[in-house]
Amino acid sequence: MSTFSNVKFSLLDLAPVLAGKNASISFQNSADLAKHVEKLGFYRYWLAEHHNMPGIASSATSLVISHIASHTEKIRVGAGGIMLPNHAPLVIAEQFGTLDALYPDRIDLGLGRAPGSDQATAYALRRTLNSSPDDFPLLVEELESYFSGTARVKAVPGKGANIPIWLLGSSDFSARLAAEKGLPFAFASHFSPDYTLPALRLYRERFTPSDQLSKPHAMVGVNIIAAETVEKAKWLATSQQQQFLSLVRGDPSELMPPIDDIEKEWSIYEKSSVEKTVNSKTTIIGDKNAVREKLSAFIEETEANEVIINSQIYDHEARKKSYDIVAEIVNE
């Protein structure tokens, strides 16, 4: 039996803003990509909340989810994730209740506890001056009460909505909470590779069954840049490397076109910092054979139930081709 046989494959879209383009192009590309991967058989299409990031257009995440759902027919669409401390839970219940009413049985709600931004932006986004990521468990409970209808205030739409809640994390905090509440758990291994296995182990060992989930369901994130040749894949990957380099330098950028020699762009320290985040285990770059080998090894190591793939590729057609190659691999 293939390593890929019992694993779902999904897509994480950061709605990249391309250098020289604008957000309108980002959303056109996202809708086209969603239709494309739906035909390829991908299971979910998630978008992530980020703020003050020139290269990411999905800050108004609920709106972009609706845009994607309106251009597709059956693929599940959701948030990977909504950064709950940024919002009043009632507002998220109403937004996702509305999405569920518009697109029944297709909407997912992944929740994160980080602000998804820098400190100044977190302050600008503040719901109250006293909110903190440490309030996350209480915020999740409040949100659940709106969906269940047990809260004093009724979320309309929202009450009774059929929306699976996921907890997202890049450390063990959400792994513990997801296990305690019996919720599916998605680990951000695509940018926090070192903590992947400990967090998954903790989640599985402490999992308590719930009405939503009878046994653990773990999703892992992975960056994949696939192309016809290893050389082309490495060239395409320089866009993502430049984007992470801009973060290391504290000056986030749009997604830049590929360049011929990334070594000229960074110092030894900067290269080390980028490669610590996008290392070879959770960032897979290569042709079909290389991607197959590394993706199979990663799934075997993590025993993941689901893999969510991010592909930061500047050229839209090359990005679609990368997902074509992944689909060929997992359907062999």
Side-chain angles (χ1 to χ4, degrees):
M1 182 179 291
S2 167
T3 307
F4 310 119
S5 298
N6 297 315
V7 179
K8 291 184 173 71
F9 290 88
S10 299
L11 186 149
L12 176 64
D13 180 12
L14 299 183
V17 180
L18 308 178
K21 309 292 183 182
N22 57 30
S24 294
I25 299 299
S26 302
F27 299 140
Q28 290 173 24
N29 287 344
S30 289
D32 184 61
L33 180 61
K35 289 187 285 188
H36 184 71
V37 298
E38 181 176 59
K39 292 177 182 176
L40 293 175
F42 283 79
Y43 190 68
R44 307 179 202 274
Y45 195 104
W46 277 10
L47 297 125
E49 178 185 349
H50 291 274
H51 301 279
N52 196 30
M53 298 287 283
I56 300 176
S58 52
S59 54
T61 315
S62 301
L63 291 176
V64 188
I65 289 171
S66 186
H67 172 65
I68 297 301
S70 72
H71 283 80
T72 51
E73 297 178 0
K74 61 182 181 180
I75 193 170
R76 297 194 66 86
V77 187
I82 291 292
M83 301 297 107
L84 195 54
N86 292 342
H87 309 278
L90 176 60
V91 172
I92 298 304
E94 291 171 340
Q95 289 179 358
F96 278 78
T98 300
L99 287 167
D100 180 64
L102 289 168
Y103 313 103
D105 301 318
R106 292 185 57 203
I107 301 300
D108 298 325
L109 175 52
L111 301 172
R113 63 187 284 263
S117 57
D118 58 85
Q119 192 170 7
T121 308
Y123 184 82
L125 282 165
R126 68 196 181 281
R127 180 165 62 90
T128 74
L129 291 174
N130 298 317
S131 62
S132 162
D134 294 333
D135 299 330
F136 185 62
L138 294 176
L139 296 176
V140 174
E141 286 188 14
E142 183 182 345
L143 177 60
E144 289 175 321
S145 73
Y146 294 126
F147 287 137
S148 67
T150 58
R152 182 178 179 182
V153 175
K154 304 305 177 187
V156 182
K159 179 183 175 182
N162 179 29
I163 304 170
I165 291 179
W166 291 67
L167 296 190
L168 316 181
S170 57
S171 67
D172 63 0
F173 184 96
S174 290
R176 294 174 189 272
L177 186 61
E180 176 187 320
K181 298 180 73 63
L183 296 176
F185 176 57
F187 191 80
S189 39
H190 58 298
F191 67 79
S192 185
D194 292 344
Y195 298 101
T196 303
L197 295 181
L200 294 179
R201 187 181 308 113
L202 181 66
Y203 169 64
R204 290 173 177 134
E205 289 176 350
R206 301 197 178 188
F207 183 84
T208 302
S210 67
D211 291 341
Q212 181 173 330
L213 204 60
S214 61
K215 58 184 180 180
H217 186 96
M219 174 194 284
V220 292
V222 62
N223 303 300
I224 296 182
I225 298 175
E228 297 89 341
T229 65
V230 172
E231 291 73 20
K232 183 174 181 181
K234 288 181 177 180
W235 179 70
L236 292 172
T238 60
S239 294
Q240 183 187 53
Q241 290 168 330
Q242 290 177 84
Q243 194 165 51
F244 273 97
L245 177 58
S246 72
L247 293 175
V248 169
R249 291 174 173 172
D251 185 23
S253 69
E254 299 169 328
L255 189 63
M256 305 300 290
I259 55 177
D260 292 332
D261 189 357
I262 187 68
E263 299 297 332
K264 293 180 179 179
E265 302 298 317
W266 53 23
S267 67
I268 295 174
Y269 167 77
E270 289 171 336
K271 179 180 180 179
S272 175
S273 297
V274 171
E275 290 181 345
K276 184 176 180 180
T277 303
V278 288
N279 71 15
S280 59
K281 186 175 291 186
T282 59
T283 296
I284 300 172
I285 301 167
D287 62 8
K288 186 176 179 178
N289 290 333
V291 172
R292 182 194 297 110
E293 179 182 346
K294 292 181 180 180
L295 181 58
S296 177
F298 185 57
I299 292 171
E300 288 180 356
E301 182 179 38
T302 60
E303 299 179 349
N305 305 102
E306 192 163 346
V307 175
I308 190 162
I309 299 166
N310 173 46
S311 297
Q312 288 291 83
I313 297 174
Y314 182 86
D315 180 78
H316 181 59
E317 292 304 317
R319 192 177 183 208
K320 289 166 65 176
K321 178 63 178 176
S322 183
Y323 285 106
D324 287 343
I325 293 170
V326 173
E328 290 171 9
I329 292 168
V330 302
N331 292 319
E332 286 176 341

